[in-house]
Amino acid sequence: SVRCTAVEMVATPMPGYYLATCDGGLEHVLGAEINEIFPKSQPTIRRGQVIFSAPDTNEGRLAVLSLRCAHGLYAYVQHYAGVPRTHVGLKDTCSQLKEDSAWGPALALLKSWLPDLPQKPSFRATGVRRAQTFKQEFSSMDAAREAANAMQLVCAWDVHMTQFDVELMVWAVEDSITVAISLLYSSEKLFSGGHKSRKCTNFMDSRMTGAKR
């Protein structure tokens, strides 16, 4: 396990955990919806996000896609709480991310959703920064760059800002950092305006036609 000093690392979920984003104020509505569909999911609710488990089967993925309150679906990597709002705090947290064992389950979930990914896909990282009290010293681009460095070391994938196969998301909210991998699309308007991933079309098509893998 990763040693934590100033940063508290929340326990890594079991394989198959998702992160769903929603509009602020709808977190508990989304959590109730998830509980209704997946009674054993034990969702964790945070600001604008719900983390939950679901069966990694075609039926499970179709059920995840049916969530009405969710506007983004991701493979959950890790959440860090108590992160100092400084450049050093960001670097130290992402240094832990380079060693984190949560990458394996997240990448396995990504592959189950996007089985046609190339053997060495390209990726980009998108950062979102939010703070109502004391703002972080680092920018959203700083957060994206540090998380991308960690993913490069773990996966040995190339970064490409426009022609990318995978999008890594990092949210810096108050004194926490959450990292996840996009499964369908990114709804963060600053960067992508809710576009659908080019690589999710096969599974989306199967959903619409009722085809099974």
Side-chain angles (χ1 to χ4, degrees), residues 98-174:
K98 295 172 186 176
E99 306 172 11
D100 207 311
S101 59
W103 285 103
L107 292 171
L109 188 58
L110 172 70
K111 187 63 176 177
S112 72
W113 278 70
L114 307 178
D116 297 328
L117 278 176
Q119 185 174 0
K120 186 178 179 181
S122 60
F123 80 101
R124 79 168 182 181
T126 299
V128 176
R129 186 186 64 162
R130 302 189 184 111
Q132 292 182 334
T133 54
F134 298 103
K135 290 186 177 181
Q136 301 95 336
E137 292 181 4
F138 53 86
S139 68
S140 57
M141 293 183 66
D142 292 330
R145 181 175 58 253
E146 293 296 336
N149 289 339
M151 191 173 197
Q152 264 191 314
L153 286 175
V154 171
C155 302
W157 295 351
D158 295 327
V159 174
H160 202 296
M161 295 304 295
T162 56
Q163 299 299 317
F164 58 93
D165 301 297
V166 175
E167 184 167 34
L168 179 69
M169 290 295 302
V170 51
W171 293 270
V173 180
E174 303 297 347

Side-chain angles (χ1 to χ4, degrees), residues 2 9-17 75-80 96-109 154 179 181:
V2 179
M9 187 172 70
V10 178
T12 302
M14 58 187 289
Y17 267 66
Y76 175 85
V77 178
Q78 193 53 274
H79 173 80
Y80 300 90
Q96 296 180 34
L97 186 61
K98 295 172 186 176
E99 306 172 11
D100 207 311
S101 59
W103 285 103
L107 292 171
L109 188 58
V154 171
V179 181
I181 304 170

